[in-house]
Amino acid sequence: MGTFFQKSSPAIKTQKRKEIIMAEFDLIVIGAGPGGYVCAIEAAHKGLKTAIVEKRDVGGTCLNRGCIPTKALLHSAELYEELKKCEKYGINVEGASFDFGKIHEYKAGVVTKLRTGVESLFTANGITLIRGAAVITGEGKVEVDGTEYTAENIVIATGSTPAKPPIKGLDLEGVITSDELLDGEVQFDTSLIIIGGGVIGMEFASVYAALGTDVTVIEAMDRVLPTLDREISQNLSMILKKRGVKINTGAKVTEIKKNDDGTMTCCYEAKGKVGEAVGQRVLVAIGRRPHTEGLFGEGVEVETERGRIVVDGNFATSMKGVYAIGDVSSRIQLAHLASVQGIYIADKLAGGECHIDLSLVPSCIYTSPEIAAIGITEDEAKAAGINYKAGKVLMHSNGKTIIADGERGFIKLVTDGDSGKVLGATLMCERATDMLSELSTAVANGLTVEEMLKVMRPHPTFNEAVTEAFESINGTSIHSAPPRRR
């Protein structure tokens, strides 16, 4: 989290196990993922005596079994895909191939480097790292492997685990979740069935398709990425189908079977018809559920809703002095949201204020091309009865996109029809996730089209298309259609 991690403090403290020690802290954070470790470091910066408890690897799911390892695999897969078509760029590479084991070694090296960095931040900031499974035994009390610790406040940041639907055959060998795929035994699948066309499923579909795997996606909703702009879903489906990915939407999986040859068969129903998909393994990627197993001792409980810990506007639970952030309590499960919630809590407990707008959550999907969004879509503006203007620019005329031989992509903007303030943006193009922050700044600060057009964006860049997207709102872009109004 950049500037939040600069303060130096005494070295990390070591805790003995199997003893009853009353260690007083201002704050104990349970879970060292992106919500927990950012919260702990920010609290230490604010002068709070802080401890953090982690039973697995520091960094949580995001660093060890989620965001970071997935993007490392994507990087390798995209490089391999570039090599396969580099002859058109005048580069000759004979016999291009990949070693899946070494790809995972590279991924593991990235994870280890970042994990070590987080642990060094604990040391530098005088944070007590307690390794083991935490159990909240009462107000201000946390027990870890027989040792009891006390604190004025407790923050639960235990994250989430892969959700598993009640499907017959889900417990068969060969059916895995993203955790096993990223952190388990290295195995390359020449064919893979993915149950779930959400963010996790589509990112893995991109990785394996780039490596030449025969990928089949089965999604229960009527389109992949159903929570995003419909054009995003349609465009991504078209691109992936062109790469050989089979996509079945409106399909409900009824059973998974293991075949005599060791392959798996996934049976599903779609539009009144029965279908089957066969692959080496089945990846279940329908989402994640809050992780609270074993967290509360006998007679201790907090209010929950469908497994999610219920919190108020300040992330306080129903138990005095206990807060919950990140996937364990949030309806939106994203690492950067958990981190900001952690900063919010730390600032509040230290008597300050967090000035980040928690209502504006950037959405980033690392498919190829990338997808990014902030604020509201045109459909949402229409449904809300907002007087809006919408503009769109296609990336096929962007110089950097043509140089990079980019896929069909676009930038869409939604602005207030009266004030001209930017209300939302959706991008599907190369470097979309990197370009989103400029547009997030515009939405968060109520900047107008005219104010965004004051910026001179350099040429040639992917980002200069942002200028054209704003010009399309005014109908002045030479590469866009006339703006749409309501």
Side-chain angles (χ1 to χ4, degrees):
M1 295 296 293
T3 57
F4 293 107
F5 298 162
Q6 302 302 316
K7 181 179 174 182
S8 293
S9 297
I12 194 167
K13 307 175 184 67
T14 302
Q15 295 294 336
K16 294 182 180 180
R17 298 291 182 85
K18 305 301 181 182
E19 299 177 9
I20 301 299
I21 303 173
M22 297 300 290
E24 297 290 338
F25 293 97
D26 296 315
L27 174 65
I28 293 178
V29 180
I30 302 175
Y37 78 71
V38 170
C39 180
I41 294 169
E42 181 71 3
H45 282 189
K46 301 295 184 183
L48 300 181
K49 185 180 180 184
T50 305
I52 190 165
V53 186
E54 177 55 58
K55 67 178 181 180
R56 298 184 70 176
D57 292 320
V58 165
T61 294
C62 176
L63 176 49
N64 296 286
R65 299 169 297 281
C67 318
I68 296 299
T70 304
K71 279 55 181 180
L73 293 182
L74 273 165
H75 182 64
S76 294
E78 288 170 355
L79 285 176
Y80 177 64
E81 195 169 38
E82 285 289 300
L83 281 175
K84 290 190 296 182
K85 62 179 184 180
C86 68
E87 187 175 339
K88 69 185 297 183
Y89 307 133
I91 307 296
N92 297 318
V93 177
E94 295 183 4
S97 62
F98 65 87
D99 184 323
F100 200 59
K102 289 186 177 179
I103 288 176
H104 271 264
E105 285 179 16
Y106 160 70
K107 178 259 305 179
V110 171
V111 170
T112 299
K113 184 175 182 178
L114 289 170
R115 184 193 304 145
T116 301
V118 174
E119 291 177 352
S120 70
L121 291 172
F122 291 161
T123 301
N125 289 282
I127 297 167
T128 301
L129 172 60
I130 305 170
R131 295 191 180 274
V135 180
I136 298 174
T137 56
E139 289 185 6
K141 296 180 180 180
V142 176
E143 185 177 305
V144 184
D145 293 345
T147 300
E148 186 176 81
Y149 305 89
T150 61
E152 290 294 320
N153 296 284
I154 298 168
V155 170
I156 300 170
T158 49
S160 59
T161 58
K164 295 182 178 180
I167 299 173
K168 184 179 180 181
L170 202 70
D171 57 347
L172 291 171
E173 183 181 358
V175 181
I176 58 173
T177 67
S178 57
D179 280 7
E180 288 86 50
L181 194 63
L182 293 170
D183 203 27
E185 182 181 351
V186 176
Q187 175 184 327
F188 178 70
D189 301 300
T190 57
S191 56
L192 179 68
I193 304 166
I194 301 175
I195 301 176
V199 174
I200 298 172
M202 300 317 290
E203 287 189 350
F204 278 115
S206 292
V207 169
Y208 277 85
L211 295 175
T213 295
D214 182 7
V215 178
T216 301
V217 176
I218 303 174
E219 166 58 41
M221 301 294 284
D222 64 347
R223 57 192 173 98
V224 298
L225 302 178
T227 61
L228 294 182
D229 184 283
R230 183 171 292 275
E231 190 172 356
I232 291 287
S233 303
Q234 295 169 342
N235 216 30
L236 183 62
S237 293
M238 190 181 305
I239 290 170
L240 289 180
K241 286 178 180 178
K242 185 178 177 181
R243 295 175 188 169
V245 177
K246 305 176 188 68
I247 298 178
N248 303 283
T249 56
K252 180 181 179 182
V253 177
T254 56
E255 184 179 2
I256 301 172
K257 302 176 182 178
K258 193 169 185 73
N259 304 317
D260 293 339
D261 62 358
T263 60
M264 313 296 294
T265 294
C266 211
C267 306
Y268 62 90
E269 295 177 356
K271 300 172 184 176
K273 297 181 180 180
V274 176
E276 289 186 348
V278 178
Q280 278 187 277
R281 288 196 293 180
V282 177
L283 170 64
V284 180
I286 65 163
R288 301 181 65 85
R289 61 178 179 82
H291 179 59
T292 57
E293 287 81 0
L295 181 59
F296 300 101
E298 186 176 352
V300 178
E301 61 181 24
V302 297
E303 183 183 354
T304 61
E305 180 183 28
R306 296 182 179 179
R308 180 182 61 87
I309 295 178
V310 176
V311 295
D312 64 14
N314 289 315
F315 305 104
T317 71
S318 58
M319 178 180 287
K320 182 181 178 182
V322 178
Y323 303 83
I325 60 173
D327 289 6
V328 76
S329 61
S330 179
R331 296 183 187 278
I332 301 175
Q333 297 179 325
L334 292 171
H336 44 273
L337 176 59
S339 295
V340 173
Q341 290 175 347
I343 293 170
Y344 180 96
I345 286 291
D347 288 349
K348 280 285 187 181
L349 294 179
E353 294 290 334
C354 176
H355 299 290
I356 304 173
D357 188 342
L358 275 70
S359 68
L360 288 172
V361 184
S363 177
C364 297
I365 304 172
Y366 296 84
T367 49
S368 179
E370 293 181 346
I371 299 166
I374 188 71
I376 64 174
T377 65
E378 182 178 3
D379 286 344
E380 289 171 334
K382 188 180 298 183
I386 296 172
N387 176 31
Y388 71 88
K389 288 184 181 179
K392 172 182 171 182
V393 64
L394 300 176
M395 296 296 286
H396 62 66
S397 59
N398 174 263
K400 281 297 290 290
T401 300
I402 294 172
I403 291 169
D405 193 29
E407 297 279 2
R408 50 185 290 153
F410 58 86
I411 298 175
K412 296 175 70 173
L413 301 174
V414 178
T415 62
D416 186 274
D418 298 317
S419 67
K421 291 182 178 181
V422 185
L423 301 178
T426 302
L427 301 82
M428 185 175 189
C429 55
E430 279 68 27
R431 301 289 187 269
T433 61
D434 295 318
M435 290 195 287
L436 185 65
S437 289
E438 177 186 11
L439 297 167
S440 297
T441 299
V443 177
N445 292 282
L447 300 182
T448 66
V449 174
E450 295 305 320
E451 287 170 330
M452 294 302 290
L453 284 173
K454 289 181 179 180
V455 179
M456 184 185 298
R457 297 175 179 86
H459 172 80
T461 60
F462 294 110
N463 202 58
E464 66 183 312
V466 172
T467 295
E468 292 192 36
F470 279 109
E471 288 176 341
S472 74
I473 298 290
N474 290 341
T476 58
S477 171
I478 60 174
H479 293 126
S480 66
R484 294 182 298 281
R485 303 167 182 259
R486 180 182 177 86

